[in-house]
Amino acid sequence: MAQRLFADPPYPAAAIRGEETLYPVHRIFCVGRNYAEHAKEMGVEVDREAPFYFLKDAQALVPSGAVLPYPCGTSNYHYEMELVVALGAPLFRAGTAEAGKAVFGYACGLDMTRRDLQLEARAKGRPWDLGKNFERSAVLAPILRAAAVAEIGPQRIWLSVDGAIRQEAHLSDLVWRVDELLSHLSHYYHLQPGDLVFTGTPAGVGAVTPGAVIAGGIDGLPDVTLTIGAAE
């Protein structure tokens, strides 16, 4: 029987609030331009015909509270505070009602971005991978089970850098709701438990430098924190 040349890296796993069990993460989907004001500050418009996505490797995941080195290859490293949805059931070609019932839980997340590389790729019509899908670029707080969340919409979402508020909005400002996103994605992928969806960021994104302390929150969910260390 053929043997693998080297061992597979284990899938990362996320903490679940109040539990000792972990949530294995297989894929990370990210939604672009899902807040109109953020799209405006980036000099683009929301595509209201359909949401669009990019992916991060599961190995990009790091837990809240980490100290991460300033990443290589960039001089414009940005935070993006987001609501993250964790799937708890398979979905394929699902309607919104079925999609909404497949949510395992919700969490606060940071989509860390090498903005200069993203914008350079965007200007040339190239994929965003160098700007978005890099090591330790998806920071995740513990997941709160969906049963503990009455509804998604009225909650305030915010982010601060060194104690100063930089992003602030409400989840009702999302262009595409959670159930709409999951339904749409399920027409292009066989979604499974272990899939995370970062649902987009509000206006107010900006650069951080070594020594910065980032904190973000959504009403009712565990906060996410990150400290930027020295460059590697």
Side-chain angles (χ1 to χ4, degrees), residues 4 13 16 26 30 49 73 79 89 102 114 130 133 141 158 164-166 170 189 202 207 217 225 228 231:
R4 295 176 183 250
I16 302 170
H26 296 166
C30 302
E49 293 297 319
Y79 54 81
R114 296 191 285 206
L130 283 179
N133 187 11
W158 60 272
I165 294 293
R166 300 290 181 83
H170 290 86
Y189 295 89
T225 62
I228 309 301

Side-chain angles (χ1 to χ4, degrees), residues 74-161:
T74 185
S75 59
N76 195 18
Y77 184 43
H78 277 215
Y79 54 81
E80 295 192 6
M81 174 65 198
E82 309 204 8
L83 169 70
V84 182
V85 180
L87 266 289
L91 283 178
F92 183 61
R93 295 178 179 167
T96 54
E98 181 185 354
K101 294 176 183 178
V103 176
F104 171 82
Y106 302 97
C108 293
L110 299 173
D111 166 19
M112 302 304 294
T113 301
R114 296 191 285 206
R115 187 73 73 199
D116 43 0
L117 302 186
Q118 181 203 10
L119 294 180
E120 180 182 354
R122 190 181 81 179
K124 294 179 179 180
R126 295 176 177 174
W128 293 1
D129 296 75
L130 283 179
K132 287 289 192 178
N133 187 11
F134 58 98
E135 295 142 347
R136 299 171 291 196
S137 62
V139 185
L140 192 70
I143 298 168
L144 182 66
R145 285 183 178 264
V149 181
E151 62 176 320
I152 291 295
Q155 294 92 336
R156 173 178 173 254
I157 178 172
W158 60 272
L159 178 140
S160 68
V161 178

Side-chain angles (χ1 to χ4, degrees), residues 193-212:
D195 289 338
L196 297 180
V197 180
F198 280 61
T199 60
T201 194
V205 300
V208 287
T209 54

